[in-house]
Amino acid sequence: MDRYLASELIPPFLFSFGIFASLVFTADSLYELLRKVVQAGLPLEIALKVFLLKLPRVIVYVFPMSTLLATLMTYSRLSAESELIALRSCGVSVYRMVLAAVVMSFLVAGITFVVSEQIAPAANYEASVTLDKALKSDKPTFKQENIFYPEYQNVKQPDGSKERILTRLFYADKFDGKRMKGLTLIDRSQEGLNQIVVAESGEWNGSQSVWDFYNGTIYLVAPDRSYRNIARFKHQQLQLPRTPLDVANRSRDFEEMNIAQSLEQLEIESISGNEQKVRQLRVRIQQKIAFPFACVVCGLVGATVGTIPQRTGRAASFGISLAVIFTYYTTLQVARTLGDTGFLSPFVSAWLPNFLGLTLGLFLLVRTARR
């Protein structure tokens, strides 16, 4: 029975995927790309490359929709052709009948998570960079002010435990795309010696993999906080990682980061004290985990509604799917806004649409099973 139901679910899923992918991509990106080709002179080959790079993001949003429509169409057809009635007369419960749809939904959820984590963020970032380069956008591709980069290290304590301590703190007032100005560096990476560097400007020297600091002062401080030395300089090279330059360069949007990158960004924003950005990042991180489970919710709701005895054609199934999808994504947006403003916690904000959908699906399933 499971093999039969699975074989019946796959064709509608592929059909739904094609329909929704076309609709979502047209509404999300196609018109904007065509406008850039016509009005901004974006080359067609670049437009095609951006089109392909944006596909993974579209796929992530389309998978739950496709799961909903596929399960709804399949179980509605089986119900209309009395196949589900035949199964129930043989003693097969409604719970057992929708199990195949739920299992398939978990598989789709797993694929959605992999695509949203491993492919979509990198592809989105590459698409944005490609567009910026092709259009020679005037928008700065780097962070212009308050570049802040902390560096930590796990230090083993006498009792064997490890403590995470700050080893370097890099701060620059401004960045013009090449040189940073108003630099302050606190370096605690050398055992037995701390140094504070204040410089008028500095830049990354890629040929020697060092930082060139200009017009500054180095304060050397002993671990007991006693004065050690002060040295003024016009040009000083320091062996530091390139990371501050990476931080200053184009910061990624939420959809251009996977969970690991989002956590790194969260750490930086937490130290910088940007509470709004921290709150938004926490909500997005929870959403990245919660969203794939929308496939499971959609699969359960679609299969359960389709199991209810009725004669539902493809058009009616499509209409019901659009209504459910609209409700789900509206709830998602509202919950996200409430999370961003701090009215809901990041966890509740991200999982609320799934909890509501799951509650509805289980309620309908129990009610249908009792008939």
Side-chain angles (χ1 to χ4, degrees):
M1 181 186 74
D2 291 330
R3 187 178 300 174
Y4 172 70
L5 289 173
S7 65
E8 293 295 309
L9 283 166
I10 292 174
F13 179 81
L14 297 177
F15 168 77
S16 308
F17 181 82
I19 293 291
F20 282 122
S22 303
L23 290 175
V24 172
F25 189 80
T26 300
D28 183 65
S29 303
L30 185 59
Y31 289 140
E32 184 64 19
L33 274 178
L34 289 177
R35 189 185 67 79
K36 286 185 168 62
V37 170
V38 174
Q39 297 182 2
L42 181 68
L44 281 175
E45 61 271 21
I46 299 296
L48 179 61
K49 181 181 178 182
V50 173
F51 168 82
L52 295 175
L53 288 171
K54 285 184 174 289
L55 275 180
R57 173 174 172 269
V58 173
I59 289 173
V60 169
Y61 285 101
V62 163
F63 271 146
M65 305 178 190
S66 306
T67 305
L68 174 66
L69 183 56
T71 51
L72 183 57
M73 287 174 58
T74 301
Y75 281 83
S76 294
R77 184 180 63 77
L78 295 175
S79 178
E81 295 175 357
S82 302
E83 292 190 47
L84 297 184
I85 296 175
L87 286 173
R88 295 195 72 171
S89 65
C90 294
V92 180
S93 67
V94 173
Y95 303 112
R96 184 66 182 84
M97 283 190 282
V98 303
L99 181 61
V102 174
V103 171
M104 187 197 81
S105 303
F106 270 106
L107 290 176
V108 178
I111 297 171
T112 304
F113 182 77
V114 171
V115 174
S116 68
E117 266 297 286
Q118 302 297 325
I119 302 174
N124 282 339
Y125 180 71
E126 185 62 29
S128 299
V129 171
T130 302
L131 266 180
D132 288 344
K133 287 181 179 176
L135 298 176
K136 297 177 180 176
S137 171
D138 292 334
K139 180 182 176 183
T141 57
F142 49 84
K143 190 174 181 179
Q144 293 178 292
E145 297 178 346
N146 300 322
I147 294 91
F148 190 86
Y149 172 69
E151 189 175 309
Y152 296 91
Q153 187 177 19
N154 289 321
V155 177
K156 194 172 183 179
Q157 301 299 309
D159 61 357
S161 63
K162 289 186 178 180
E163 184 177 353
R164 192 164 178 262
I165 65 168
L166 182 70
T167 53
R168 284 198 188 99
L169 187 61
F170 186 106
Y171 176 79
D173 290 334
K174 294 181 180 178
F175 180 50
D176 60 8
K178 182 182 179 183
R179 181 172 288 197
M180 296 192 183
K181 297 178 181 177
L183 285 164
T184 302
L185 170 69
I186 300 174
D187 190 349
R188 303 169 61 197
S189 60
Q190 300 179 46
E191 188 174 354
L193 181 66
N194 298 327
Q195 63 176 351
I196 301 172
V197 182
V198 181
E200 181 181 305
S201 62
E203 62 183 345
W204 172 251
N205 186 336
S207 60
Q208 300 180 39
S209 297
V210 296
W211 280 87
D212 289 326
F213 283 65
Y214 301 97
N215 300 325
T217 305
I218 299 177
Y219 301 89
L220 299 179
V221 182
D224 60 1
R225 302 178 184 83
S226 62
Y227 161 79
R228 182 69 66 87
N229 195 11
I230 296 177
R232 297 187 180 277
F233 64 86
K234 287 190 175 180
H235 177 212
Q236 178 72 36
Q237 289 189 325
L238 295 176
Q239 292 283 350
L240 299 171
R242 186 182 185 278
T243 315
L245 182 63
D246 297 330
V247 172
N249 280 323
R250 187 183 185 284
S251 59
R252 297 192 177 209
D253 195 2
F254 293 123
E255 295 197 351
E256 297 170 353
M257 294 186 286
N258 56 28
I259 293 177
Q261 291 166 331
S262 298
L263 288 172
E264 291 176 1
Q265 188 66 29
L266 175 63
E267 194 170 273
I268 293 173
E269 298 293 346
S270 298
I271 294 176
S272 67
N274 190 340
E275 290 299 326
Q276 183 179 5
K277 192 73 178 289
V278 168
R279 196 161 47 239
Q280 290 176 342
L281 272 168
R282 285 177 174 158
V283 172
R284 299 302 182 277
I285 291 169
Q286 286 293 331
Q287 282 187 327
K288 285 178 179 294
I289 301 170
F291 186 76
F293 287 93
C295 298
V296 180
V297 174
C298 289
L300 177 63
V301 172
T304 304
V305 174
T307 307
I308 298 173
Q310 57 189 329
R311 291 190 175 277
T312 305
R314 283 190 175 187
S317 299
F318 191 71
I320 294 172
S321 298
L322 286 181
V324 173
I325 290 165
F326 177 78
T327 304
Y328 180 87
Y329 281 94
T330 300
T331 308
L332 188 71
Q333 290 298 328
V334 171
R336 174 187 294 181
T337 303
L338 294 176
D340 288 347
T341 56
F343 189 79
L344 294 178
S345 71
F347 179 82
V348 174
S349 168
W351 287 89
L352 183 62
N354 286 347
F355 289 151
L356 292 177
L358 189 63
T359 303
L360 174 65
L362 291 174
F363 170 75
L364 293 174
L365 181 62
V366 172
R367 190 174 178 183
T368 305
R370 289 177 177 174
R371 285 186 175 182

